[in-house]
Amino acid sequence: MTKYFGTMQFYKRALLIAVPVMLQQLIQTLVSLVDSFMVSGLGDVKMSGVNIAGQILFVFMIFVNTVCTSGGIFMTQFSGAKDKEGMQQSLRFKIIASCMAMALFFAVCLIFPRQVLSLMVIGNNQAEEILDVAEEYIRLMSIIGIPMMISTIIASSLREIGRVKPPLVISIAATLINTFFNWVLIYGNLGAPRLEIRGAAYATIIARIVEMILFVGYIVIRRQPFMFRLSTIWKVDFSLFRQILRKGTLVLFSEMLWVVSETVTSALYNQRGGAEVVSGMASSFAIANLYFVAIGGMNMATAVIIGHTLGEGRLEEARQQKNWMLSASVVFGLLMTGMGMLTTFLVPVVFGNLSAGAQKICKDMVLMMSFFMPCWVYVNTQFSIARSGGDTKMGAVTDGIFTLAIAMPGIFLLALFTTVGPVMMYFFVKIVDIPKVIFAHFWLKKGRWIKNLTAQET
């Protein structure tokens, strides 16, 4: 059994990392669910507008998270090796690369938002009404770009060196602020004006700015090993940067391929009706995110534990830890399936203001996603294991084969030649994730990921 399951002490360590991350994501998800609940009270069209605008924010956040993942591969191993200079170089990479993503984000939000947003509702019966709402919302939300970027960089760096509690506490504070101002500004409580969609945007802006201030204040007061003076931002180790970019480009390809596939498939789903389809699909993800937190927690625990072990040069121990984390991912996935099935009861409670058609789509989607959870937790843990040792090629090849070559052509064929509804379209796309697990299993057995990247640097 020790081949597949670790000691209680090992899993206790994993839980000490995973649980705060999951709690942080759960709190953020609950607030997002409250946001969706409040916005859903404004009707299907406004719910749909906020949702498609959220797709731009989603792409931006994935881009920044990918940059942080790339730098984090090295941050984690340098932390294990107690290499302060290496950690600082990893942080420099995150900041410089994220600023490039920021420029593109501002261009989309402020210069041509409607053109980009219109791609999400091609063929929708209520496209123009939805776009009017979405354009107003995304122009306001452009303000949160810089605070989101700074908070994400600091939070990811703290987690990668094993300090997971501060991001949790700060996240709780920010989400409480967001919820309060949503209640005040969307419907005009406490004597405030009723701002509806603009109120939701203002609440998020206020919360994100406060969150950024708290993160910056924390690392200034309690100096972290990855900190450096801002005046030395261009003191770059170009050799290390090239290595991070080589690894990071493949991570970026993998993550952006996933984002593009999700965005394109969402646009195809949205063609299958009017605002009830857009709002129904959006509300299902708002609920499903309650149990998607398992993926983030497992990924972070895997990256930190195995990354530190590799950075310390204990390569065979890391190989054993791989099996232990994969076994844990199966247990987590099954637990999340049960939780997912229970969350279907939230649909009429949280989204009772949506149309009957939107509620049915939401409930069917939540149920379907819950059954995929064991597969998703497992395959994401496989990717995290590979990346912890710098093997970013596995994710790129796997996604290239199964997403680009199989899933994407398949969804277009379904959209063009069938009348299958959005829920079944989603099922046919996601069934491709099952052979991903088998492919990744044989890739990991080759052991290409078992590398001490800090030893290669010194």
Side-chain angles (χ1 to χ4, degrees), residues 75 93 99 101 147 168 178 251 268 271 294 306 324 335 359 368 381 423 431 436:
M75 177 77 78
F93 173 83
C99 285
L168 171 61
N178 193 9
V251 177
L268 294 174
Q271 294 179 2
I306 296 182
W324 296 348
L335 288 173
Q359 289 187 51
M368 182 179 294
T381 303
V423 178
I431 200 72
K436 278 186 180 181

Side-chain angles (χ1 to χ4, degrees), residues 33-34 36-38 40-41 287 345-354:
L33 189 60
V34 172
S36 298
F37 166 71
M38 292 180 179
S40 71
I287 290 180
F345 294 105
L346 291 175
V347 175
V349 177
V350 178
F351 296 113
N353 290 319
L354 294 180

Side-chain angles (χ1 to χ4, degrees), residues 59-60 63-64 67 95-107 149:
V59 172
F60 170 67
F63 201 116
V64 174
V67 167
I95 294 171
I96 294 170
S98 295
C99 285
M100 296 170 64
M102 180 65 56
L104 182 61
F105 174 72
F106 282 140
M149 180 190 77

Side-chain angles (χ1 to χ4, degrees), residues 331-345:
V331 176
F332 258 75
L334 291 172
L335 288 173
M336 291 304 107
T337 293
M339 181 178 173
M341 294 173 70
L342 292 174
T343 58
T344 57
F345 294 105

Side-chain angles (χ1 to χ4, degrees), residues 34-49:
V34 172
D35 288 355
S36 298
F37 166 71
M38 292 180 179
V39 173
S40 71
L42 304 174
D44 285 3
V45 170
K46 291 187 177 180
M47 175 77 172
S48 300

